[in-house]
Amino acid sequence: MSGRRGGWKSLFPSGLMGSSLLRNGYALIANSGLSAVLGLAFWFLAARYCSQEAIGLGGAITATIVNLSNAAQLNFGNLLVRFVPTVGGRAGRLILFAYGISIIASVVVAVVFLLVVGAFMPKLDVLTESAGVILWFVATVAVWSVFALQDSALSGLRQSIWVPVSKTIYQIVKIMMLIPLALAGLGWEAIALSWTAPVLVFVLAVNLLIFKRLVPSAQAGTGHGHLIDRRAMARFFGWDYIGSVSMMVAWTATPLVVLNLVGAAESASFFVAWTIFTSLYYVGSSMGLSLLAEGASDAGRLRSLAADAAVMSVLPLLGLVALMLVFAHPIMSVFGAAYATEGASILRVFTLASVVSAVLSIYLSIARTKGWMRSVAAAEFATLVIALGAGALLVRSEGPIGMAHAWLLAMLAVTCGVGTLALVTSRRHSMHDWGLAVAASLKALSTQFLPFGRKEGVAVPDDAELRPLLAMTGSSAASGWHALKSEHGPEGTAIVYLGDPATDETAAHDVVRPQGTHAVLLGARDPIAAAYVERLIDNLDLLRADRRLEALSPVLPARLAVSRADGAIDCIEAVVPGDDGRVLLHDALQRQSGLEAAASAIATLHGRTAAARSIDEVWFREWVERPAAKLRLLRGSMMSGKGRRQAIDRFVAQQRRYWLGRHGHLGWCHGDLLPQNVNFARPATKEDGGTVRLACLLEWGNARSNAPRGFDGCTLAIAMRMMVGAEPLGAVVADLLWTPQWRDDEKQWLRVGSDGEGDWSGDGAAIRAMVGLVWLHQVSERVRRPAHTGVGLLWIASNVDRVLRIVSTDGGAI
């Protein structure tokens, strides 16, 4: 059965359609491109239907409105993107607050401007000729501020897809209004009215969408209990305002400096290249804006989100660099032969600067998300000083291209500066971790577009193959089941979901268990996979026969049939109706009660079968030395063979110091307690109190009878950090070895069933030892079947070497 998507979505990579970060980032980039194209069309038509005087005056008035509005917005745009995702049910209140302050500031700024316009800009005296024009101008500046801030509100709500929709329709309406107004004999008014009249309609329409649909959806998804941290907002606002003003001055002053130093004729080619550079700059800044919203919404995924944003913004720009190196001269020649002579070289330099600026934009978004606001202000102020300072010097000696060199220098200097600062102030191996995150993002991207690097799927058996197996179940209903979906299972097994085909195509291609699933077929076709299935069968038989575990019988899978032939084995188990853990545990509102339900079951499993025992060499050999020996044989590493062996020896020695001779309770564990192996039942009625109930625990092939208390809980906690943070195993384990501390919400469910006895969740040494033990078993099981489990150089570097580097520097010392 194919998992390919149908319809128009099949035209786009699944990673793009499924990623809110990329979807919103590219929506903002598309908005910039469409606005530039339609804006060019507007002025092209204006040149045909309006006089030069009308164009000059109308253009000056509209530019004044935009510039005054930008000043009056007080940088609330970045604040909305940063904090709207975090305030839950108070998002609407925060958006209205930003609108209100900006409207007041707009009125003040517009009135002050009109009071002094006659003295400084006598050509704009038309704005004070009548009370009607004055009222129109002041109101337009205020409405334009809301018109701009609503885009930031949409980005903060992670619904940037509406930005290009609304802005494109606005641009089209603006163009449609221009021609009849110009033909009616209006002068500058035709341009000003066509530019500003539609704005009020779009403000009302978009904000109706925001407050009637998007804000309530955000409240439903995040709850209503989030508080607005006024102190954090004030700190963010102050430093970010300094940085944003610095960049505004840099952007505004750059063409003026060139104009004053070389004159109008010599600076013409620079202005064209500068305009193109501005559009390229928005590629990185738009993706950075999307990253800010996504990172604020889900700070745990910031590293993987930032890596995706960097890759998906830098790669297109690198492609543009290659094109510009070849086609810069023809592009500039479109504007005239004189523009191409020097303008081509300027454009090439600016294109290089746009790549560096994209990297800097990603860093600034990370810094804004983490609250490093002094760093943001310093970086943007340094850009202003270097770009304009060096530009003023270089333009005198090199001409207009000197300003392009100055901007490239500024971007490189600031980017390298913040990179060096991050390297010095962060923990060891942090930059290595970021490098691996970028490599993982590149690999994920390559699987979307390139034929190699993709993990081969599992063949889905047809009905003829299934019929003999289904007949063994003895169920008449089973005779009508079909194979719905297949995927790789533990240790080289194949999992096939059996049931009634779904009528909804989306449900049929769900990333987790398909709707209509009644049973699961676990198949093995080689000795290692067959041994796993046999262990699973034996373990379930032992658990069901243990009278101490009668309370757990409802959550153990019911076996329907087993078939053995020629070394192959197939086992069919019934699936208890419920939600796959990968779905329910992604829901923040249900997560805690679901984890507590799972923790209660594993506490019962271990607590009722545990016996006091002193850990000896036999146990240590089984749990530590044998799995570690598999890592010594692992091929394909970025570490030297000697370095890896020494790190493994040190890891084993650390585990030995903690475990050997320790007295504790050893009992049964599940051994592979991952979200995909846990099924939940949601509360059916409000009377259930909203409590999630455990429905079934699957995949018992790695269960053991001599596990230390907390092994399953630690496995699930690590898996949850991986799932919620979209981080690989090695990153989560490395973080816990550096900072052996669980969050308060994690401690709450990890302590379920402990009654204070044997609680290890607050002991740093115990956390390091348990996390190391879980990591060892997770990676050693994967490396047994490298071809089936996707174990390659990147996986080894991310999940094995990453942890061994920590161990080799005593970062994970127990």
Side-chain angles (χ1 to χ4, degrees):
M1 178 181 296
S2 172
R4 295 182 63 84
R5 296 163 292 150
W8 65 270
K9 291 184 178 181
S10 62
L11 300 175
F12 299 91
S14 59
L16 175 59
M17 295 304 302
S19 170
S20 176
L21 166 76
L22 302 181
R23 189 168 58 247
N24 290 321
Y26 281 126
L28 294 174
I29 294 171
N31 175 64
S32 299
L34 289 170
S35 295
V37 172
L38 293 173
L40 185 64
F42 175 88
W43 291 113
F44 175 79
L45 292 173
R48 295 198 61 181
Y49 292 96
C50 300
S51 66
Q52 290 184 346
E53 181 181 357
I55 292 175
L57 187 55
I61 290 173
T62 55
T64 300
I65 291 171
V66 173
N67 289 331
L68 292 178
S69 173
N70 289 339
Q73 290 167 38
L74 301 174
N75 208 44
F76 272 113
N78 283 342
L79 186 139
L80 288 177
V81 177
R82 169 61 181 83
F83 288 100
V84 163
T86 67
V87 296
R90 299 174 184 266
R93 184 183 304 180
L94 179 59
I95 294 171
L96 288 175
F97 173 79
Y99 285 174
I101 298 298
S102 295
I103 289 173
I104 294 172
S106 298
V107 172
V108 172
V109 169
V111 170
V112 171
F113 174 81
L114 291 176
L115 291 175
V116 301
V117 65
F120 296 97
M121 300 179 184
K123 292 289 186 180
L124 296 183
D125 271 345
V126 294
L127 295 175
T128 58
E129 288 181 347
S130 67
V133 174
I134 292 174
L135 183 61
W136 164 81
F137 182 79
V138 174
T140 299
V141 174
V143 174
W144 194 276
S145 295
V146 178
F147 185 59
L149 287 177
Q150 69 189 21
D151 293 349
S152 298
L154 289 169
S155 296
L157 292 166
R158 301 160 68 199
Q159 295 291 337
S160 297
I161 191 68
W162 292 103
V163 175
V165 173
S166 62
K167 286 294 190 287
T168 300
I169 298 175
Y170 159 74
Q171 295 280 0
I172 294 173
V173 171
K174 182 175 72 173
I175 292 173
M176 293 174 63
M177 290 185 62
L178 172 65
I179 298 176
L181 289 174
L183 293 177
L186 298 179
W188 66 268
E189 297 92 342
I191 292 175
L193 288 176
S194 62
W195 191 286
T196 60
V199 170
L200 181 60
V201 175
F202 282 90
V203 165
L204 294 174
V206 171
N207 281 282
L208 188 66
L209 170 71
I210 289 174
F211 290 99
K212 290 296 185 181
R213 177 178 172 182
L214 302 183
V215 169
S217 297
Q219 292 173 348
T222 59
H224 298 262
H226 298 73
L227 297 177
I228 296 178
D229 189 341
R230 292 180 175 84
R231 180 175 298 180
M233 287 187 183
R235 185 169 58 251
F236 179 96
F237 182 86
W239 289 108
D240 195 55
Y241 188 74
I242 294 173
S244 296
V245 169
S246 298
M247 290 303 296
M248 188 184 303
V249 171
W251 286 110
T252 304
T254 292
L256 297 179
V257 170
V258 176
L259 176 65
N260 289 328
L261 291 179
V262 303
E266 290 79 3
S267 62
S269 59
F270 175 85
F271 293 153
V272 174
W274 174 256
T275 303
I276 297 174
F277 169 59
T278 303
S279 300
L280 296 178
Y281 174 82
Y282 281 124
V283 173
S285 63
S286 296
M287 194 62 74
L289 204 63
S290 181
L291 172 62
L292 179 58
E294 295 297 324
S297 175
D298 192 354
R301 296 180 57 217
L302 183 59
R303 183 158 51 196
S304 62
L305 288 170
D308 287 344
V311 168
M312 297 304 288
S313 58
V314 170
L315 282 183
L317 289 172
L318 287 176
L320 288 173
V321 168
L323 289 174
M324 290 300 176
L325 291 176
V326 179
F327 298 108
H329 194 279
I331 291 174
M332 294 299 293
S333 297
V334 172
F335 301 92
Y339 288 87
T341 304
E342 186 177 8
S345 298
I346 297 174
L347 182 57
R348 291 187 182 103
V349 176
F350 272 141
T351 307
L352 290 173
S354 69
V355 178
V356 186
S357 73
V359 177
L360 182 59
S361 294
I362 299 303
Y363 167 79
L364 293 176
S365 294
I366 295 171
R368 287 185 171 103
T369 302
K370 288 182 170 290
W372 304 338
M373 298 314 300
R374 293 183 182 180
S375 176
V376 171
E380 295 187 322
F381 183 75
T383 302
L384 162 68
V385 172
I386 298 173
L388 294 186
L393 296 175
L394 293 176
V395 169
R396 287 185 172 91
S397 60
E398 301 179 3
I401 196 173
M403 184 59 78
H405 288 149
W407 270 90
L408 178 59
L409 174 64
M411 293 295 180
L412 285 171
V414 174
T415 303
C416 292
V418 297
T420 302
L421 180 65
L423 184 63
V424 171
T425 58
S426 61
R427 70 167 194 234
R428 293 183 67 177
H429 308 301
S430 179
M431 297 303 291
H432 180 261
D433 291 350
W434 280 97
L436 289 175
V438 171
S441 180
L442 284 169
K443 181 179 180 181
L445 176 65
S446 69
T447 60
Q448 296 288 325
F449 294 98
L450 302 177
F452 52 84
R454 300 177 185 175
K455 188 176 179 180
E456 293 185 5
V458 178
V460 178
D462 57 28
D463 291 345
E465 294 177 80
L466 288 176
R467 196 169 294 115
L469 288 171
L470 296 177
M472 296 176 63
T473 64
S475 169
S476 58
S479 61
W481 292 347
H482 304 273
L484 305 180
K485 179 186 174 183
S486 63
E487 62 187 19
H488 290 284
E491 301 196 26
T493 57
I495 297 175
V496 180
Y497 297 96
L498 306 175
D500 301 322
T503 56
D504 182 8
E505 185 177 350
T506 302
H509 299 315
D510 202 340
V511 295
V512 294
R513 186 176 66 249
Q515 294 181 13
T517 299
H518 298 299
V520 172
L521 167 63
L522 190 65
R525 297 295 181 268
D526 61 70
I528 295 178
Y532 172 84
V533 178
E534 294 288 6
R535 291 199 311 271
L536 179 146
I537 294 171
D538 293 342
N539 288 336
L540 283 174
D541 287 342
L542 290 171
L543 293 171
R544 286 192 175 278
D546 194 331
R547 298 179 119 189
R548 297 170 296 178
L549 299 176
E550 289 181 353
L552 282 182
S553 293
V555 300
L556 298 179
R559 191 179 314 127
L560 301 180
V562 176
S563 171
R564 297 178 176 88
D566 299 327
I569 181 170
D570 293 298
C571 177
I572 300 179
E573 294 177 342
V575 172
V576 177
D579 286 356
D580 189 296
R582 289 168 288 187
V583 175
L584 184 134
L585 296 178
H586 249 304
D587 184 348
L589 300 179
Q590 304 282 359
R591 184 180 301 150
Q592 193 66 19
S593 60
L595 291 171
E596 290 177 3
S600 177
I602 61 177
T604 300
L605 172 67
H606 189 276
R608 295 190 180 183
T609 59
R613 179 178 165 184
S614 178
I615 293 179
D616 55 16
E617 286 285 355
V618 175
W619 183 96
F620 189 79
R621 191 176 303 114
E622 175 189 347
W623 278 82
V624 178
E625 290 183 342
R626 288 177 183 170
K630 299 175 187 176
L631 300 187
R632 299 179 196 274
L633 303 176
L634 187 60
R635 296 181 179 180
S637 171
M638 298 179 68
M639 295 180 69
S640 66
K642 180 180 179 181
R644 176 190 282 178
R645 289 192 297 271
Q646 290 177 343
I648 293 173
D649 290 341
R650 180 171 294 191
F651 173 82
V652 172
Q654 291 173 358
Q655 292 285 320
R656 177 180 292 275
R657 284 198 302 270
Y658 181 84
W659 292 110
L660 203 60
R662 182 172 294 271
H663 296 278
H665 289 79
L666 304 182
W668 273 97
C669 73
H670 179 277
D672 207 13
L673 196 65
L674 307 176
Q676 60 264 35
N677 295 333
V678 186
N679 283 354
F680 295 96
R682 295 179 187 263
T685 62
K686 293 183 178 180
E687 287 71 19
D688 293 337
T691 302
V692 173
R693 181 175 57 84
L694 183 67
C696 187
L697 290 173
L698 305 170
E699 300 297 346
W700 288 85
N702 288 323
R704 299 189 183 196
S705 61
N706 61 344
R709 185 195 299 271
F711 182 82
D712 276 338
C714 186
T715 301
L716 184 57
I718 290 174
M720 285 303 304
R721 287 196 176 192
M722 292 170 60
M723 183 177 76
V724 174
E727 293 277 18
L729 172 66
V732 174
V733 171
D735 287 342
L736 284 168
L737 291 180
W738 273 106
T739 309
Q741 185 177 0
W742 299 110
R743 299 188 305 268
D744 289 341
D745 61 306
E746 292 171 325
K747 289 180 181 178
Q748 183 177 340
W749 64 266
L750 284 170
R751 290 172 175 169
V752 170
S754 66
D755 296 327
E757 181 182 354
D759 179 23
W760 60 278
S761 61
D763 183 343
I767 292 174
R768 278 196 172 105
M770 192 68 73
V771 166
L773 196 65
V774 169
W775 167 78
L776 179 63
H777 282 262
Q778 291 285 319
V779 295
S780 63
E781 292 299 331
R782 287 287 295 271
V783 301
R784 289 182 66 190
R785 302 297 301 272
H788 290 79
T789 54
V791 175
L793 181 61
L794 179 59
W795 186 92
I796 294 171
S798 301
N799 297 290
V800 180
D801 295 348
R802 183 181 234 161
V803 175
L804 292 179
R805 289 177 187 275
I806 302 294
V807 172
S808 64
T809 56
D810 279 335
I814 299 173

